[in-house]
């Protein structure tokens, strides 16, 4: 794992293999970002010109290397693009993005310094988090020499004034970034290595390490407790389901949040089997549970004055002689019955159990996170998650918070008429499918049926951004992204401080 530290040394004097500086898009080509004056002097004032000759324009995503002259202690200078500067400098997301590009470019390097334009603690935090997220590499299955080691150490350069705040900011970035990278690892693990049981064991180990309370319901306890959703969906697999509760409490907390995560360790579709081409990435179907797990641990590491309970609904959706059939009726925890019309609409079934169970403890707000529907990906694309809620203000809050921490999201409606398709012409209280059109909204309406009236609830459908199949960009690698974690942490943070 990449080590993160902070230093108030000057950019030119820090000893490292690489020195990362920022460049921006100016009206007449590439310009140097603030804080590069001394480095530019060592280049006899010609650094922008040199970088321009090498093709740099200052656009986001760009990374250009130049060997260092005497006067710069680092071996080489890496200039990364920040895009156009705004009136108040650069957006935190531009800093995270640039730091991420730098960290990815520097794979194989032992030590690098990040001298990006970061004055405030928030800017220092953005650089640190982008660097840590960009350094991520999933190496579990690759032999040595079959890929570069991630950059060994990242030193974030911060102004001398406010260096205490800068140190705290880097520690916060480490808490969030390391837990996000852990969530990415869980998503990237092959589904033969991550089962409901092993996922639960991972949570138990982390809970022990961080002093969190954890309870695991195994298949026996789930059967006895009447968790028909989890038992039904998990019924076709040799790897039985689990419901994990992992709780962080703070003595001064005035609110309790419940985060509920969809944790399908593999979604084959079940008897309503997915065709080839649609199941190769379905190990990612536990990304919601991984996000919830990461957020609870991060809340603890940040010491937030709020109680956060995570509920992970873990099961493997497989076809077999014991699998749930289209036509079966399941009894969800709490008593509502669901006719399963399509076994591939399994996420809502396991979430239903978990939502009812989470609601029993009367949290102030419930937020669930799930790779729930292909329809949401159709609607919003692969980088944006949908936000639905039974409370418009909560929905707007989460959408705004997500934007502040660099997660793209969009508010989605819950049209009441779509509920009809799930209740009519079924022998049970509900069917697990309704109208095909607006499938993401139908799924959200289904979940709402399992939230007690009067309880504030929101649903993040992260099916698009949870797993990145294209080439890496910014601080986003291929594979698991840890989508949702930063929004959950920001929400817990906001709840703790009571800031509106
Ligand atoms: N896990 C899938 C949704 C998904 C799709 C996640 C693409 C990530 C990327 C979910 O369980 C599913 O199969 N949903 C069905 C629901 C349908 C049968 C009502 C879908 O979206 O097609
Ligand atoms: Mn499915
Ligand atoms: Zn699924």
């Amino acid at each position: 794992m990449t080590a993160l530290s902070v230093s108030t040394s000057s950019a030119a004097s820090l000893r490292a293999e690489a020195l990362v500086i920022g460049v921006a898009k100016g009206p007449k080509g590439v310009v140097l970002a603030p804080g590069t004056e001394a480095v530019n002097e060592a280049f006899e004032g010609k650094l922008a010109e040199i970088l321009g000759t090498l093709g740099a324009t200052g656009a986001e995503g760009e990374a250009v290397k130049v060997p260092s002259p005497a006067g710069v202690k680092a071996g080489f200078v890496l200039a990364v693009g920040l895009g156009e500067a705004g009136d108040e400098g650069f957006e935190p997301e531009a800093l995270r993005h640039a730091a991420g590009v730098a960290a990815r470019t520097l794979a194989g390097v032992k030590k690098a310094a990040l001298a990006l334009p970061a004055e405030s603690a928030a800017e220092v935090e953005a650089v640190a988090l982008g660097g840590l997220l960009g350094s991520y590499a999933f190496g579990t299955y690759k032999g040595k020499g079959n890929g570069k080691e991630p950059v060994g150490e990242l030193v974030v350069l911060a102004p001398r004034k406010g260096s205490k705040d800068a140190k705290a900011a880097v520690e916060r970035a480490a808490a969030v970034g390391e837990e996000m990278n852990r969530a990415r690892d869980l998503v990237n693990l092959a589904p033969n290595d991550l089962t409901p049981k092993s996922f639960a064991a991972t949570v138990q180990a982390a809970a022990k390490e961080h002093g969190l309370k954890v309870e695991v319901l195994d298949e026996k306890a789930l059967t006895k407790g009447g968790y028909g959703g989890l038992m039904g969906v998990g019924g076709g697999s040799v790897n039985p389901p689990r419901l994990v509760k992992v709780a962080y409490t703070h003595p001064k907390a005035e609110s309790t949040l419940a985060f509920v995560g969809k944790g399908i360790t593999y979604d084959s579709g079940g008897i309503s089997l997915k065709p080839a081409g649609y199941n190769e990435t379905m190990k990612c179907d536990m990304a919601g549970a991984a996000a919830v797990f990461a957020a609870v641990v991060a809340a603890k590491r940040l010491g937030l004055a709020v109680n956060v309970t995570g509920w992970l609904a873990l099961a493997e959706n497989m076809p077999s002689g014991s699998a749930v059939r289209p036509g079966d009726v399941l009894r969800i925890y709490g008593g509502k019955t669901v006719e399963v019309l399509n076994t591939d609409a399994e996420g809502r079934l396991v979430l239903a159990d978990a939502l009812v169970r989470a609601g029993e403890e009367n949290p102030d707000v419930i937020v669930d996170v799930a790779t729930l529907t292909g329809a949401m990906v159709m609607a919003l694309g692969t980088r944006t998650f949908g936000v639905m809620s039974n409370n418009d203000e909560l929905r707007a809050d989460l959408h705004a918070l997500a934007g502040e921490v660099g997660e793209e999201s969009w508010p989605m409606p819950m049209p009441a008429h779509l509920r009809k398709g799930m209740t009519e012409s079924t022998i049970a209280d509900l069917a697990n499918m309704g109208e095909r059109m607006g499938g993401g909204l139908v799924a959200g309406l289904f979940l709402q049926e399992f939230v007690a009236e009067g309880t504030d609830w929101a649903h993040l459908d992260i099916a698009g951004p949870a797993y990145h199949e294209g080439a890496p960009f910014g601080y986003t690698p291929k594979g698991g992204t840890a989508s949702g974690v930063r929004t959950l942490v920001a929400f817990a943070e906001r709840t703790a401080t009571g800031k509106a």
Side-chain angles (χ1 to χ4, degrees):
M1 197 162 29
T2 303
L4 202 56
S5 61
V6 62
S7 166
T8 55
S9 303
S10 77
S13 71
L14 196 105
R15 262 178 220 287
E17 270 171 87
L19 173 70
V20 177
I21 61 158
V23 288
K25 256 181 128 151
K28 283 181 264 163
V30 64
V31 293
L32 303 178
T36 50
E37 295 76 12
V39 176
N40 190 27
E41 251 169 59
F43 280 94
E44 292 171 357
K46 296 211 170 77
L47 184 50
E49 197 184 316
I50 294 169
L51 289 168
T53 308
L54 292 171
T57 67
E60 273 196 25
E62 244 172 46
V64 177
K65 279 183 204 171
V66 203
S68 294
V72 172
K73 290 268 164 39
F76 66 91
V77 172
L78 176 70
V80 288
L82 288 158
E84 268 172 55
D87 292 339
E88 286 160 46
F90 300 95
E91 293 287 331
E93 183 61 3
L95 294 172
R96 279 189 289 266
H97 197 281
V101 169
R104 271 198 293 113
T105 309
L106 295 173
V109 164
K110 290 228 162 54
K111 181 178 174 183
L114 297 172
L116 291 165
E119 288 287 328
S120 68
E123 287 165 341
V124 171
E125 186 174 334
V127 170
L129 183 58
L132 194 53
L133 294 175
S135 72
Y136 176 81
F138 182 64
T140 303
Y141 299 115
K142 288 227 190 238
K144 266 214 171 339
N146 231 342
K148 281 185 187 164
E149 286 289 307
V151 56
E153 188 183 345
L154 286 174
V155 184
V156 180
L157 297 186
R160 215 170 292 265
K161 199 167 144 248
S163 67
K164 242 187 160 170
D165 293 346
K167 197 156 182 270
V170 170
E171 271 164 24
R172 288 159 43 83
V176 176
E178 283 168 12
E179 294 315 315
M180 283 177 70
N181 284 345
R182 193 210 315 247
R184 290 168 166 185
D185 273 345
L186 285 168
V187 172
N188 290 333
L189 263 180
N192 54 333
D193 283 330
L194 188 80
T195 62
K197 190 175 164 185
S198 75
F199 195 157
T202 302
V203 178
Q204 273 169 321
K208 202 165 171 201
E209 182 191 339
H210 293 286
L212 300 165
K213 246 188 97 188
V214 61
E215 284 168 33
V216 178
L217 299 188
D218 64 10
E219 66 272 32
K220 259 196 182 151
L222 290 171
T223 305
K224 202 164 159 230
Y227 293 85
L230 278 156
M231 288 311 294
V233 171
S237 172
V238 293
N239 300 304
R242 295 287 183 269
L243 178 65
V244 178
K245 174 187 177 187
V246 55
Y248 162 61
T249 55
H250 189 282
K252 291 209 178 113
E254 284 171 13
S255 321
T256 299
L257 303 177
F259 293 161
V260 177
K262 170 178 174 181
I264 301 298
T265 57
Y266 185 70
D267 182 12
S268 71
I271 298 292
S272 315
L273 193 63
K274 286 182 188 293
Y278 290 86
N279 52 21
E280 293 84 352
T281 59
M282 277 305 141
K283 66 177 182 181
C284 81
D285 215 19
M286 37 54 71
V292 164
F293 171 40
V296 174
V297 179
K300 158 77 196 187
R301 288 180 62 174
L302 296 171
L304 304 181
V306 58
N307 299 328
V308 185
T309 310
W311 300 89
L312 318 187
L314 310 178
E316 187 179 43
N317 188 21
M318 295 290 272
S320 81
S322 59
V324 67
R325 315 161 184 81
D328 280 357
V329 174
L330 302 177
R331 191 173 291 274
I332 301 298
Y333 183 74
K336 275 196 186 161
T337 54
V338 179
E339 186 179 9
V340 178
L341 296 181
N342 188 318
T343 65
D344 198 11
E346 84 297 338
R348 60 197 77 181
L349 299 170
V350 300
L351 285 171
D353 272 346
L355 284 168
V356 176
R357 179 64 190 90
E360 268 184 357
E361 304 198 351
N362 291 315
D364 294 283
V365 184
I366 302 178
V367 182
D368 77 69
V369 188
T371 46
L372 203 60
T373 64
M376 197 59 78
V377 193
M378 285 289 183
L380 298 178
T382 56
R383 294 191 186 181
T384 306
F385 61 76
V387 186
M388 298 172 67
S389 177
N390 58 4
N391 177 331
D392 286 354
E393 206 180 316
L394 175 62
R395 185 184 65 179
D397 273 358
L398 285 166
H399 168 55
L401 276 173
E404 282 171 28
V405 294
E407 295 205 292
E408 278 183 53
S409 72
W410 202 252
M412 299 297 276
M414 303 197 58
H417 72 94
L418 285 179
R419 187 178 171 277
K420 276 212 185 81
M422 287 184 294
T423 52
E424 285 170 0
S425 65
T426 172
I427 56 169
D429 294 326
L430 277 167
N432 76 332
M433 290 244 314
E435 270 183 50
R436 202 169 76 82
M437 295 300 168
L441 316 183
V442 171
L445 283 158
F446 179 94
L447 296 181
Q448 188 180 18
E449 293 293 313
F450 299 91
V451 178
E453 236 166 275
T455 302
D456 284 333
W457 156 80
H459 158 60
L460 313 182
D461 189 338
I462 59 167
Y467 195 82
H468 179 56
E469 291 186 63
F473 65 95
Y475 52 80
T476 304
K478 243 180 146 57
T481 60
S483 174
V485 175
R486 281 178 286 161
T487 300
L488 292 180
V489 172
F491 185 58
E493 210 158 19
R494 219 264 325 254
T495 307
T497 56
K499 264 192 297 185

